[in-house]
Amino acid sequence: MKKEKISRAAAGKTSLSRMIFRMAAVLMGIVAVGIIVSAFLSGYIRKQAEESIRSTTEFYAAQMDASFRDINDYLGELVFQDKDVAMTRYTSDKLLFIQAVQKINEKLEFYRTKLGGDFQFFIYYPELDYFASSERGEMEIKEFAALKENMAQYIRTDYEAGGLNARKKWWLAGIDGKQYALNYIFFDEWYACCFIDAQKLADSANVIHLGKDSFVTLVTEDGRPNGCLDRLKESGFYNPDTGKSRLDENVFGMKYTMIHQPLDYAGFGISVVVQNNRSMVNVVIFQLIIILFILAGICIAALLLYRVKKRMIEPMKYFSDNLTKIREDSQDVYFDNVDIAELAEANELFQSICGQMKELKIQMYEQQLAQQKLQLDYMHLQIQPHFYINCMSLIYNMAAMGEDDTIQQLSACVSDYFRYIFRSDSNMVCLTEEMKHVGNYLEICRIRYKDRLTFHLEKGEGVEDIKIPPLLLHTFVENSVKYAAGSGKTIQILAAAARKKQQGEEFVEIKIEDNGIGFSDNVLESLRQDKDIVTEKGTRIGIRNCIQRLSRIYGSSARVLFENREEGGARVLITIVLKGEENSNEYTSGR
């Protein structure tokens, strides 16, 4: 019957070979999806690259336009409004003329430096053949002088040809065998001009970081490039023989991408040519590598599945059958019919684990009971109706005697005392808060006992944020007050906390002392043997509860020492090992 049930259950299951076939089909589907996604990503990356080139070109063209516009405005202000330029027009004093020209030189040099040093400025007065110019930069003196002369000749000729209709935009001009981008303003026989080497202007676009196989060229309105003729001819964008040009278009090819951007303040534009085949080849290679990895993963997965079937699935079947025997018949099972020694040991380990689980369940049940007992004892500590009644009775008697100031002081202490009592739970609290609460409690006792009780609290450095269980100090201080009151002497209570370090171990030491009758011998013996403490005044549940809480929270890292002082009275020393200097607010759970 059992075999029939097993065979019927097996009939509804999927065979391992069919499962492997399905997994192979899924993996092949993943390969197909990977190829499609790779193709999509290739197109997407290319489109993103084109958009990046376009936006970068537009940004650089906008910067160039802004520079041309600002220079035009500056030249206009210089010619029409500058007082030093006006001085050169109207003064007949040569000294004043020379001083004005020197100031103009300084202004032009300052503005040239502000623009980066590639732009050159000069003001030319043909009647006196006098220049006021910026510094020559990296050019030699003779070269710069010849350039100024040729530039002056060029703009005189250009202005005479154009008259008042001289150009308003920057343009490209060939001067002394080199190409320059320039513009000038003419007023009252003065020419104010700015020019820059056209190649430097194009090279400054290298901030775009296009790569070594890409370049930037300036392009006139009719499509003629300013430079890079050989590379443009090779890539098919310009033919110097026929003048055929595509440089004023946007071209998106497999090998090259070209973006053309005209300028608003110039009679030319910029064209950015990017060789993108290398990056695309890298993308394709990366895609092929991914596909090869997927195929290799499929082969490895198939091989692993086969080995898993032979080495794991079949032995696990034996293991499952034997577990069934254990569940049904509680028989001893040994896996002598398999090749894997680990499975042969599984029965023994399984039986051992079952026994351990039973023991753990028992231990957990006992721990839960102990935890519930601690919680009940802790709640018992919080609820002290006789203390509350005594406080209310004391306030009533003081009110009857007219001690209003003392009533205010006592009411504040009682309010803080019960606020702390009812907000505290089983979580940790700062040592500072616990010390403050102890101070409130002792102040209430001092008012109650009047001159028969004094106390002193001490806090060392570095103990403010140390965490301890709530009502820890309160329990021991309350115990001192309770048993010291029967000594007939003035009660003296000391509660001190200090942070110490000894033999490389850092710990906090909390000390509570009183001058009462001390611990009796039987109480000290019960404390040493971890037994319940029973005295004539009842069972000391609070002390027992605190010791158990410390043990459960800190393990052996917390220690409580009870002793009698030589001069009389009791002393309690609580030592808690800190976790380390890197986190001084935490403690170890055991050493």
Side-chain angles (χ1 to χ4, degrees):
M1 290 297 292
K2 290 184 179 179
K3 291 184 178 180
E4 292 178 358
K5 291 181 179 179
I6 293 173
S7 61
R8 286 198 298 269
K13 305 298 181 181
T14 303
S15 65
L16 185 60
S17 58
R18 184 175 297 178
M19 185 180 299
I20 293 175
F21 177 77
R22 290 179 181 177
M23 292 180 64
V26 171
L27 290 174
M28 293 302 296
I30 293 175
V31 172
V33 172
I35 295 173
I36 296 172
V37 171
S38 298
F40 171 77
L41 288 177
S42 176
Y44 179 77
I45 291 172
R46 182 177 175 184
K47 184 177 179 181
Q48 289 296 109
E50 293 170 358
E51 290 297 326
S52 175
I53 297 170
R54 183 192 298 275
S55 61
T56 306
T57 304
E58 291 176 353
F59 173 76
Y60 181 75
Q63 283 189 321
M64 191 179 293
D65 257 334
S67 297
F68 288 159
R69 181 194 63 214
D70 293 343
I71 292 173
N72 290 345
D73 294 342
Y74 177 72
L75 293 177
E77 292 177 2
L78 194 68
V79 170
F80 296 113
Q81 300 179 14
D82 190 272
K83 63 180 182 179
D84 293 314
V85 174
M87 177 69 71
T88 61
R89 297 194 191 105
Y90 303 119
T91 184
S92 57
D93 189 328
K94 287 187 177 182
L95 179 60
L96 293 177
F97 181 86
I98 293 173
Q99 290 176 345
V101 170
Q102 181 62 32
K103 292 180 180 179
I104 295 172
N105 288 345
E106 294 174 357
K107 293 176 183 178
L108 294 177
E109 173 58 19
F110 173 78
Y111 199 66
R112 182 187 76 87
T113 305
K114 180 180 177 182
L115 292 175
D118 290 331
F119 288 92
Q120 300 288 342
F121 295 86
F122 70 85
I123 292 183
Y124 173 58
Y125 188 41
E127 184 177 345
L128 298 178
D129 194 22
Y130 203 93
F131 281 92
S133 66
S134 59
E135 294 293 334
R136 63 183 185 278
E138 298 179 355
M139 289 188 287
E140 299 292 338
I141 296 177
K142 292 183 179 180
E143 180 186 357
F144 187 64
L147 177 61
K148 288 195 298 183
E149 181 63 31
N150 293 333
M151 188 67 69
Q153 181 63 34
Y154 177 84
I155 62 176
R156 283 202 309 270
T157 303
D158 184 80
Y159 182 77
E160 290 170 1
L164 294 177
N165 295 320
R167 308 172 196 257
K168 301 299 182 182
K169 292 186 176 182
W170 288 64
W171 74 95
L172 298 174
I175 301 174
D176 195 22
K178 294 186 69 173
Q179 291 287 324
Y180 294 90
L182 62 91
N183 199 6
Y184 68 88
I185 294 177
F186 176 80
F187 177 70
D188 197 14
E189 302 301 327
W190 277 93
Y191 295 91
C193 178
C194 178
F195 65 93
I196 183 174
D197 189 324
Q199 188 59 45
K200 286 187 176 181
L201 187 62
D203 290 343
S204 64
N206 286 332
V207 296
I208 305 177
H209 300 297
L210 301 173
K212 65 177 183 178
D213 295 327
S214 305
F215 53 91
V216 179
T217 182
L218 303 180
V219 182
T220 60
E221 292 179 341
D222 57 358
R224 289 184 294 107
N226 174 256
C228 307
L229 297 182
D230 294 338
R231 301 176 72 179
L232 290 170
K233 181 179 179 180
E234 179 184 353
S235 56
F237 291 108
Y238 179 70
N239 190 339
D241 300 329
T242 62
K244 185 177 179 181
S245 174
R246 303 173 64 192
L247 295 174
D248 54 355
E249 305 174 3
N250 292 333
V251 180
F252 303 100
M254 286 298 297
K255 189 174 182 181
Y256 289 98
T257 296
M258 190 193 73
I259 302 295
H260 176 73
Q261 183 66 34
L263 301 175
D264 295 333
Y265 289 88
F268 55 88
I270 61 172
S271 290
V272 177
V273 181
V274 179
Q275 185 179 9
N276 52 19
N277 61 331
R278 178 172 299 176
S279 61
M280 295 305 298
V281 167
N282 292 336
V283 172
V284 173
I285 293 174
F286 181 70
Q287 292 171 345
L288 290 176
I289 292 174
I290 292 176
I291 293 173
L292 290 177
F293 268 108
I294 293 175
L295 292 175
I298 291 175
C299 296
I300 294 172
L303 180 61
L304 289 176
L305 285 173
Y306 177 77
R307 291 188 61 85
V308 165
K309 177 180 180 298
K310 288 294 184 181
R311 301 288 293 177
M312 291 294 295
I313 301 299
E314 293 179 358
M316 286 298 294
K317 182 178 181 300
Y318 295 129
F319 179 73
S320 177
D321 293 341
N322 288 323
L323 287 180
T324 303
K325 294 178 182 179
I326 294 174
R327 183 178 67 249
E328 294 179 355
D329 303 326
S330 299
Q331 298 177 1
D332 294 333
V333 178
Y334 298 95
F335 298 95
D336 295 333
N337 56 345
V338 296
D339 297 331
I340 301 176
E342 288 80 1
L343 291 178
E345 298 174 2
N347 179 53
E348 182 180 352
L349 293 175
F350 181 75
Q351 291 177 347
S352 175
I353 290 172
C354 289
Q356 292 176 6
M357 290 177 62
K358 292 179 180 178
E359 293 179 0
L360 286 175
K361 287 181 179 180
I362 295 172
Q363 291 178 5
M364 290 179 61
Y365 181 72
E366 292 176 349
Q367 288 179 357
Q368 289 177 356
L369 291 178
Q371 188 67 28
Q372 291 176 359
K373 183 178 183 301
L374 286 175
Q375 188 67 23
L376 291 173
D377 291 343
Y378 175 70
M379 295 174 64
H380 177 74
L381 287 174
Q382 289 182 293
I383 303 172
Q384 302 184 54
H386 65 278
F387 183 80
Y388 176 76
I389 294 172
N390 291 338
C391 290
M392 294 299 101
S393 177
L394 184 60
I395 292 174
Y396 176 80
N397 293 332
M398 288 181 177
M401 299 174 64
E403 298 180 7
D404 296 339
D405 294 339
T406 307
I407 290 174
Q408 292 181 3
Q409 181 181 0
L410 180 60
S411 298
C413 292
V414 171
S415 175
D416 291 341
Y417 173 87
F418 283 104
R419 184 181 294 112
Y420 184 85
I421 286 290
F422 291 122
R423 83 160 182 84
S424 296
D425 52 22
S426 58
N427 295 328
M428 309 294 279
V429 297
C430 291
L431 182 56
T432 303
E433 297 181 17
E434 181 73 6
M435 292 286 284
K436 182 179 178 182
H437 170 70
V438 168
N440 283 328
Y441 171 74
L442 290 174
E443 183 64 21
I444 294 171
C445 293
R446 187 192 65 79
I447 296 173
R448 178 182 176 186
Y449 293 108
K450 295 190 179 296
D451 296 335
R452 290 183 293 134
L453 185 143
T454 61
F455 66 90
H456 182 63
L457 303 180
E458 294 181 2
K459 287 188 298 182
E461 294 184 0
V463 302
E464 292 82 3
D465 296 329
I466 291 178
K467 302 290 187 179
I468 63 171
L471 300 179
L472 177 65
L473 274 66
H474 171 85
T475 302
F476 292 107
V477 169
E478 183 183 32
N479 186 73
S480 293
V481 172
K482 179 179 179 181
Y483 287 91
S487 63
K489 300 184 293 185
T490 299
I491 306 171
Q492 296 178 356
I493 304 293
L494 170 65
R499 187 170 183 159
K500 298 183 178 182
K501 189 172 185 181
Q502 186 176 1
Q503 296 179 351
E505 190 174 61
E506 193 172 5
F507 58 91
V508 60
E509 182 182 83
I510 304 172
K511 178 171 60 176
I512 298 100
E513 292 183 349
D514 63 66
N515 63 338
I517 59 176
F519 297 108
S520 63
D521 294 338
N522 63 328
V523 169
L524 286 175
E525 184 65 23
S526 298
L527 290 170
R528 293 191 186 100
Q529 297 180 6
D530 197 20
K531 296 180 179 179
D532 289 336
I533 308 165
V534 182
T535 65
E536 296 178 355
K537 297 187 178 182
T539 303
R540 301 194 185 189
I541 298 176
I543 293 178
R544 175 71 171 165
N545 182 277
C546 287
I547 295 174
Q548 291 181 354
R549 288 169 67 200
L550 286 173
S551 177
R552 292 193 178 277
I553 294 173
Y554 303 106
S556 61
S557 294
R559 188 164 57 94
V560 183
L561 175 64
F562 300 89
E563 61 183 8
N564 290 321
R565 301 166 62 204
E566 293 181 0
E567 59 271 28
R571 178 186 293 119
V572 179
L573 287 176
I574 305 171
T575 304
I576 302 175
V577 178
L578 300 180
K579 204 167 190 178
E581 294 181 357
E582 71 277 9
N583 192 348
S584 60
N585 294 337
E586 297 181 3
Y587 305 97
T588 57
S589 60
R591 273 187 278 181

